[in-house]
Amino acid sequence: MSVVPKGTAVPRGFSFSSAHCGLKKRKADLALFVSESPASAAAVFTTNCVQAAPVCLSRRHMAHAASRMRAVVVNSGNANCSTGPIGVKASETTAASAAQALGCSPPEVLVCSTGVIGVPLPVGKLTRAIPDLVATRQPTPEAFSRVTHAIMTTDTRPKWAAATCQLGGKNVRLIGCAKGAGMIHPNMATMLAFVCTDAAVPHRVLQEALRRIASRTFNAISVDGDTSTNDSVIVLANGASGCTLIEGSGTEFERFCSALESICKSLALAIVQDGEGAQRVIEIEVRGAESIGDADRVARTIANSPLVKTAFAGADANWGRILAAAGRSGVNFDPEGAEIRMAGIQVYKRGVACKFDERAAHRKLLGRYVQVRVDLGVRNGQAESEGMARIWTCDFTAEYVRINASYRS
Amino acid sequence: MSVVPKGTAVPRGFSFSSAHCGLKKRKADLALFVSESPASAAAVFTTNCVQAAPVCLSRRHMAHAASRMRAVVVNSGNANCSTGPIGVKASETTAASAAQALGCSPPEVLVCSTGVIGVPLPVGKLTRAIPDLVATRQPTPEAFSRVTHAIMTTDTRPKWAAATCQLGGKNVRLIGCAKGAGMIHPNMATMLAFVCTDAAVPHRVLQEALRRIASRTFNAISVDGDTSTNDSVIVLANGASGCTLIEGSGTEFERFCSALESICKSLALAIVQDGEGAQRVIEIEVRGAESIGDADRVARTIANSPLVKTAFAGADANWGRILAAAGRSGVNFDPEGAEIRMAGIQVYKRGVACKFDERAAHRKLLGRYVQVRVDLGVRNGQAESEGMARIWTCDFTAEYVRINASYRS
């Protein structure tokens, strides 16, 4: 059964396919995104200074062919990271093999891998599967649906989102999918996300849009504070909708960005929701900071505190841990001027605890989506977006530990 | 039964007592350290910008009377943090009450609290118990032993250490105790440590010694990366050994520092070993960095990675997580030049995995004390202490989550 409904409008000029090439025992482990005509590409990659071979190769290909990208090949089951020169060669071979089958040049193909670190990628399994993978590609929701499964590792469910918007009298379509559930057995996993759109956007405009949007979506989520060696977000825009070229400003640009952001945010939240062992998504909003940077630092410290995250596992209105995490973030504020709300309940104000019904708070905190508001009180009366940041995380359960502590076998 | 053996040499001129004043249901919850003559004091406190009332008061008292300190009063069961002006008043009343019973001035008494945040301290329970607490103080190992229990919260065992050293022909004695096991139900806990010595050390020399030593001991451990609002380490030196005054340099100073460091390190490791749910202590040593600061940053990032810590819970030789944590620390290095050893086994070298026996590694990693060595390879051939840092942490088990997720009741 297709997770992507039959009637879903797939962006024109894109096709998709998936295969089981043998990296993973039972499930599909190879996926292909193809733009039938040259597409503008934008990409953001992991900031970890340990970078997997496919990330290094894709960076290089982006430098050469970001305005005429044709395809992305994704394998699950092996990260191809810390695999030395043969790892780089394996990624090159993968791209060359797809390029040959598609009739394009190797730099017009991006490569992503996710799975175990430090194990050589058996690239022969990929090259044997790629001709058929290319030949069987289809421009359908069903094919896209199979791709959302093929990129999964320990994800418990496929993650996808679609949007349309009217640009210059044309219906522009966007569709995206992602994988990621924190870091996984037997090594670390990766967040990968792919968005295809038939909008016409120059590479530089698309790249700037993605950079802005990623900071508010994919870079604003945290499952465990660990950044993978393979994280990649790739957007392809092929212009097949026939819309006019979107410039880097103006209402058309803003509306396109808004559609792209809705997809990225939906995928990012789906990753948090599928966090290893997670029961609920926690939105941490920090206001009243001196700057957005300060607010972000406080929000991230709270979102990554094991004490805060375990308290949420128990639906415990434990504001002392939130206050203490904010206090150790390195951002200066006066606790006497700060306020904390959990699930809409004021729990801390002006240096002391508020009186509130613990049992009622517990019931509210058992929800699937819990909002935390911290006002540092450093700046008041400012515009909403100044001194404010929002981070999404999930609770930290014993199940997370069980998933991550299991001995590799 | 006394945990501190009968024959232990307690520093001269110190006495100790403990009581059950009713903050905790069953166990002793009040402790007193007294120097019978004015003592030099040194103290380091939490760097969290949210600071509990007893920390604020003790800072003030240190500013006034660091060269003539007489006592420390410690309660467990209530942190007296985020309790507003009445919290400050409660700490002041505690110090004044002890000062009156001892016949000294209030600034000559330091106050520490540990326990739940945000609940007003019922100070009457303390003031009613203090006269008897002062009257029953004793200069014995048994009395010190009871103090090590009275300061405990979720600690599963008391933590203490003693040392002696010859300074200027006199036997100088040091004894210390600590509490702390990560952060605890129902709010956050605290690391508290107290060292008493009959060495003669001016306040400024003692403070500088403690600052240096704390950075290599108490500030080099991490159970969960969370810094409490109440953390305090206090050293009292009353000179009752009759040794000559120790100046800020020279062999006498170095030997005193060495004895003080041995106690601080022993107490710090005992805290990690008693980390909530911990099965083993992990020593993370990072070498070959550009600077000590870089090495420290990498070591702390590894030590606080939930993925690394859960892997150790499973005794999994999961070097990919260690490399990835180092890579996201913000310190630049070339993974091709880096090396990792776990429990003496080389697992990663020059960009690729080493061949090693996974089962043998697993058996070694099941130990109670596991060493991890990361060489970043940025600088080679340097003196051992350059570009090197060592951090101690513990593994992260499902038991930690169970302890910290339980709903306050």
Side-chain angles (χ1 to χ4, degrees):
Chain A
M1 205 197 66
S2 176
V3 291
V4 182
K6 237 185 164 80
T8 306
V10 170
R12 281 146 287 214
F14 285 98
S15 0
F16 316 97
S17 61
S18 60
H20 177 244
C21 76
L23 293 172
K24 291 183 86 83
K25 272 182 197 147
R26 272 175 293 272
K27 71 173 276 297
D29 48 19
L30 198 59
L32 178 72
F33 301 80
V34 173
S35 172
E36 301 301 342
S37 60
S40 294
V44 290
F45 298 104
T46 178
T47 55
N48 198 308
C49 90
V50 178
Q51 305 216 335
V55 170
C56 299
L57 185 73
S58 291
R59 278 185 197 282
R60 227 157 70 208
H61 286 188
M62 281 296 292
H64 282 89
S67 297
R68 51 180 167 93
M69 205 54 72
R70 286 293 310 282
V72 186
V73 182
V74 189
N75 75 269
S76 51
N78 188 310
N80 193 16
C81 178
S82 297
T83 43
I86 59 157
V88 179
K89 186 79 197 138
S91 286
E92 286 170 354
T93 305
T94 305
S97 168
Q100 191 178 16
L102 281 164
C104 66
S105 76
E108 291 162 15
V109 177
L110 300 174
V111 177
C112 296
S113 299
T114 173
V116 56
I117 286 184
V119 174
L121 179 71
V123 68
K125 292 185 177 180
L126 278 73
T127 52
R128 276 192 294 279
I130 282 173
D132 200 50
L133 188 74
V134 170
T136 60
R137 69 188 191 273
Q138 289 183 299
T140 62
E142 293 75 16
F144 187 79
S145 181
R146 285 190 292 273
V147 159
T148 67
H149 278 98
I151 63 173
M152 283 167 56
T153 54
T154 51
D155 304 64
T156 64
R157 44 184 176 260
K159 302 163 184 67
W160 71 281
T164 58
C165 62
Q166 279 270 327
L167 294 177
K170 300 283 181 184
N171 254 322
V172 164
R173 300 168 180 175
L174 303 92
I175 197 161
C177 61
K179 67 138 306 226
M183 305 301 185
I184 55 159
H185 172 91
N187 249 305
M188 63 189 316
T190 292
M191 193 216 57
L192 298 178
F194 308 98
V195 181
C196 300
T197 175
D198 50 18
V201 195
H203 156 64
R204 284 183 191 287
V205 174
L206 194 61
Q207 185 66 40
E208 176 56 22
L210 178 60
R211 193 193 59 75
R212 265 177 43 178
I213 289 166
S215 73
R216 292 195 296 258
T217 57
F218 295 114
N219 289 333
I221 59 171
S222 174
V223 170
D224 47 20
D226 273 302
T227 307
S228 147
T229 50
N230 293 49
D231 290 342
S232 307
V233 179
I234 293 169
V235 182
L236 299 178
N238 67 3
S241 64
C243 78
T244 50
L245 202 67
I246 296 172
E247 300 299 335
S249 62
T251 52
E252 302 280 277
F253 175 67
E254 293 304 329
R255 285 165 59 216
F256 171 72
C257 284
S258 165
L260 182 57
E261 182 159 352
S262 78
I263 288 188
C264 291
K265 183 158 172 188
S266 170
L267 295 176
L269 287 182
I271 289 171
V272 178
Q273 203 174 359
D274 200 17
E276 287 167 353
Q279 299 168 307
R280 54 189 62 92
V281 174
I282 320 291
E283 178 192 308
I284 313 278
E285 184 186 291
V286 174
R287 292 169 175 275
E290 189 61 42
S291 65
I292 291 177
D294 275 8
D296 186 74
R297 194 164 170 187
V298 171
R300 281 180 198 275
T301 307
I302 296 170
N304 286 321
S305 160
L307 284 173
V308 170
K309 288 159 72 81
T310 50
F312 278 113
D316 185 0
N318 204 325
W319 58 266
R321 293 184 182 171
I322 294 172
L323 181 67
R328 73 170 165 87
S329 66
V331 170
N332 240 313
F333 68 94
D334 178 5
E336 305 280 319
E339 295 184 18
I340 301 173
R341 282 177 174 274
M342 297 176 77
I345 301 166
Q346 181 114 46
V347 290
Y348 172 81
K349 193 174 180 176
R350 314 224 166 278
V352 294
C354 300
K355 288 203 196 315
F356 63 93
D357 181 342
E358 286 272 1
R359 295 175 65 93
H362 177 57
R363 278 193 302 272
K364 281 197 166 187
L365 292 173
L366 284 169
R368 298 278 299 155
Y369 192 91
V370 174
Q371 293 179 307
V372 174
R373 299 269 175 281
V374 178
D375 190 325
L376 298 180
V378 175
R379 284 181 63 176
N380 289 312
Q382 61 198 357
E384 175 164 319
S385 60
E386 285 173 50
M388 199 267 265
R390 215 178 269 144
I391 295 286
W392 291 268
T393 187
C394 54
D395 59 338
F396 208 161
T397 64
E399 183 60 19
Y400 174 92
V401 178
R402 265 190 294 278
I403 293 168
N404 283 294
S406 51
Y407 179 62
R408 291 170 301 164
S409 54
Chain B
M1 204 197 68
S2 176
V3 290
V4 181
K6 238 188 165 76
T8 306
V10 170
R12 282 146 287 215
F14 284 98
S15 359
F16 316 97
S17 61
S18 60
H20 176 245
C21 76
L23 293 172
K24 289 183 86 84
K25 270 182 199 145
R26 272 175 293 271
K27 72 173 278 295
D29 48 19
L30 197 58
L32 178 73
F33 301 79
V34 173
S35 173
E36 301 301 342
S37 59
S40 294
V44 290
F45 297 104
T46 178
T47 54
N48 198 308
C49 89
V50 178
Q51 306 216 334
V55 170
C56 299
L57 185 74
S58 291
R59 279 185 195 280
R60 228 157 68 206
H61 287 188
M62 282 296 291
H64 281 90
S67 297
R68 51 180 167 94
M69 206 53 74
R70 286 293 311 282
V72 187
V73 182
V74 189
N75 74 271
S76 52
N78 186 310
N80 193 14
C81 178
S82 298
T83 42
I86 61 157
V88 178
K89 186 77 197 143
S91 286
E92 285 170 354
T93 305
T94 305
S97 167
Q100 189 178 20
L102 282 164
C104 68
S105 76
E108 292 162 17
V109 177
L110 300 174
V111 177
C112 295
S113 300
T114 173
V116 57
I117 285 185
V119 174
L121 179 70
V123 69
K125 292 185 177 179
L126 279 74
T127 52
R128 276 192 294 278
I130 283 173
D132 199 50
L133 188 75
V134 169
T136 59
R137 69 189 191 271
Q138 289 183 299
T140 62
E142 293 75 16
F144 188 78
S145 181
R146 285 189 294 272
V147 159
T148 66
H149 279 96
I151 63 174
M152 284 167 56
T153 54
T154 51
D155 304 63
T156 66
R157 44 186 175 259
K159 302 163 183 71
W160 71 280
T164 57
C165 63
Q166 280 269 327
L167 294 177
K170 301 284 181 182
N171 252 322
V172 164
R173 300 169 180 175
L174 304 91
I175 197 161
C177 61
K179 67 136 307 226
M183 305 300 186
I184 55 158
H185 173 88
N187 248 303
M188 61 189 318
T190 291
M191 194 216 54
L192 297 179
F194 308 97
V195 181
C196 299
T197 175
D198 50 19
V201 195
H203 157 64
R204 283 181 192 288
V205 174
L206 194 61
Q207 184 67 38
E208 177 56 21
L210 177 60
R211 193 193 59 75
R212 266 177 42 180
I213 289 166
S215 73
R216 291 196 296 262
T217 56
F218 294 114
N219 289 333
I221 59 172
S222 175
V223 170
D224 48 21
D226 273 301
T227 306
S228 146
T229 49
N230 292 50
D231 290 342
S232 306
V233 179
I234 292 170
V235 182
L236 298 179
N238 66 5
S241 64
C243 79
T244 49
L245 203 68
I246 298 171
E247 299 299 335
S249 62
T251 53
E252 302 280 277
F253 174 68
E254 292 304 328
R255 287 163 61 217
F256 171 74
C257 284
S258 165
L260 182 57
E261 182 158 352
S262 78
I263 287 189
C264 291
K265 184 159 172 187
S266 171
L267 295 176
L269 287 182
I271 289 171
V272 177
Q273 204 173 359
D274 199 16
E276 287 166 353
Q279 298 168 308
R280 54 191 62 93
V281 174
I282 320 293
E283 179 191 306
I284 314 280
E285 184 185 291
V286 174
R287 291 168 177 277
E290 188 61 43
S291 66
I292 292 177
D294 275 8
D296 186 74
R297 194 165 170 186
V298 171
R300 281 179 198 273
T301 307
I302 295 169
N304 286 320
S305 159
L307 284 172
V308 170
K309 289 161 70 82
T310 50
F312 278 114
D316 185 2
N318 203 325
W319 59 266
R321 292 184 184 174
I322 294 172
L323 182 67
R328 74 169 163 90
S329 66
V331 170
N332 240 313
F333 67 96
D334 179 4
E336 304 281 320
E339 295 185 18
I340 301 174
R341 282 177 174 273
M342 297 174 78
I345 302 166
Q346 182 113 47
V347 290
Y348 172 82
K349 193 174 179 173
R350 313 223 167 281
V352 294
C354 300
K355 287 203 197 313
F356 64 94
D357 181 342
E358 286 269 2
R359 294 176 63 94
H362 177 57
R363 278 193 302 273
K364 282 195 166 190
L365 291 174
L366 284 169
R368 298 277 300 156
Y369 192 93
V370 174
Q371 293 179 305
V372 175
R373 299 270 174 281
V374 178
D375 191 327
L376 299 180
V378 175
R379 285 182 62 177
N380 289 310
Q382 61 197 358
E384 174 165 317
S385 60
E386 284 172 54
M388 197 267 265
R390 216 177 267 143
I391 295 285
W392 291 269
T393 188
C394 55
D395 59 338
F396 210 160
T397 65
E399 183 58 19
Y400 173 91
V401 178
R402 264 189 294 278
I403 293 168
N404 283 294
S406 52
Y407 178 62
R408 292 172 298 165
S409 53

